[in-house]
Amino acid sequence: MSLVTMKEILDTAKEKNYAVGAFDTMDTVTTEAILNAAEEKHTPVILMVVPPSVSGKNDVFMNYLTERCRKSSVPVALHLDHAPTFEDCMRGISCGCTSVMFDGSSLPFEENAAITKRVIEAAHACGITVEAEIGHVAGHEGNMLDGNVADPSCYTTVEEAVKFYEKTNVDCLAVAIGTVHGVYKGTPNIDYKRLDEIKAQLPVPIVLHGGSGLTDDDYKKLVEHGINKINFFTAMSLAGAEAVKKFVKETAKFQGTDIITVLEKAEKEVVRHHIEVFGTLPVSC
Ligand code: 13P
């Protein structure tokens, strides 16, 4: 199949009522874990990179990613996650991303909407999908291990979501409804009523950030209530780290490549499981 836009993948997901996993990668091992899992399941997948990967200092990695996605046997969107500026979004496009997220969720509403609009004008001229966020999902992506708590005062309101969509015509919208990035402090409490109200008013796919740390029942319920993209990183990365720790503890003799094999296998298993739980349909369906 190939490198496609995220709009292509998410429009089908919305039409057929399932979610697609969007997994962050910063290295080739995790990339292969994600893509091999999707290829085995014959499902579309969203491969996400972070702003440092498109800074101009990681061109070799980005060239590998675009080439690998192009050669994939399933549709893959290469998406820039959490770009904090217009310029970062443009760098993502020039590095081969087929989709970018402008994250203005910490900015005042009007500024977030105005920059999102500029990003959309430029990105759409190149055939690239744009995601934005309204409300704010707590937890700093670079500090995922300390534990985070959702702050209801930052949840997305229906009024804001509608106004934001009307102003920007964004392709898909990330909302804050009780998840956090990274490890949870306490038990997550998702505001499904809020999600239903937002879903009823917006014609575009809704995105969930902070996908790690929920139960399989939570994911299924989120999909039933209309989530079409689930961003996922921490649990995959921690599962890989745990598997390596266990392997090192239990194995007397090994070489470096054995560790890579263990890491990739553990991450791939997490991705495979979540593709199933998110209900992502195979490409032929
Ligand atoms: P987690 O690391 O909590 O899975 O969140 C990932 C994410 O939302 C990336 O945008």
Side-chain angles (χ1 to χ4, degrees), residues 78-156:
L78 184 58
H79 175 74
L80 174 61
D81 198 19
H82 291 290
T85 65
F86 173 87
E87 289 74 17
D88 284 307
C89 291
M90 297 307 107
R91 278 192 269 278
I93 294 172
S94 76
C95 284
C97 291
T98 55
S99 175
V100 294
M101 177 201 190
F102 168 65
D103 182 359
S105 63
S106 298
L107 299 174
F109 179 92
E110 292 298 340
E111 203 178 336
N112 184 3
I115 303 175
T116 300
K117 220 170 154 214
R118 271 181 71 209
V119 171
I120 289 171
E121 274 164 19
H124 282 189
C126 310
I128 303 295
T129 306
V130 178
E131 173 183 329
E133 178 169 327
I134 193 75
H136 180 70
V137 177
H140 190 268
E141 288 72 48
N143 190 18
M144 61 183 199
L145 299 179
D146 287 344
N148 293 301
V149 185
D151 175 0
S153 73
C154 297
Y155 287 5
T156 311

Side-chain angles (χ1 to χ4, degrees), residues 108-246:
F109 179 92
E110 292 298 340
E111 203 178 336
N112 184 3
I115 303 175
T116 300
K117 220 170 154 214
R118 271 181 71 209
V119 171
I120 289 171
E121 274 164 19
H124 282 189
C126 310
I128 303 295
T129 306
V130 178
E131 173 183 329
E133 178 169 327
I134 193 75
H136 180 70
V137 177
H140 190 268
E141 288 72 48
N143 190 18
M144 61 183 199
L145 299 179
D146 287 344
N148 293 301
V149 185
D151 175 0
S153 73
C154 297
Y155 287 5
T156 311
T157 66
V158 184
E159 297 71 29
E160 272 182 335
V162 170
K163 196 170 149 206
F164 190 84
Y165 177 72
E166 283 170 359
K167 274 181 177 276
T168 60
N169 270 309
V170 71
D171 297 305
C172 58
L173 190 65
V175 294
I177 53 167
T179 56
V180 298
H181 291 106
V183 170
Y184 283 85
K185 256 186 199 150
T187 311
N189 186 13
I190 314 262
D191 190 340
Y192 288 102
K193 185 168 171 286
R194 189 180 294 261
L195 173 58
D196 288 344
E197 286 167 5
I198 297 169
K199 181 77 186 171
Q201 299 290 327
L202 286 193
V204 287
I206 312 280
V207 178
L208 184 90
H209 279 244
S212 296
L214 305 176
T215 65
D216 286 358
D217 284 345
D218 289 328
Y219 296 122
K220 287 179 187 155
K221 203 165 162 191
L222 282 159
V223 174
E224 274 167 27
H225 286 252
I227 290 289
N228 294 123
K229 171 180 181 245
I230 300 180
N231 282 26
F232 196 95
F233 175 70
T234 302
M236 169 182 71
S237 187
L238 290 181
E242 277 306 315
V244 169
K245 248 198 271 179
K246 184 168 182 286

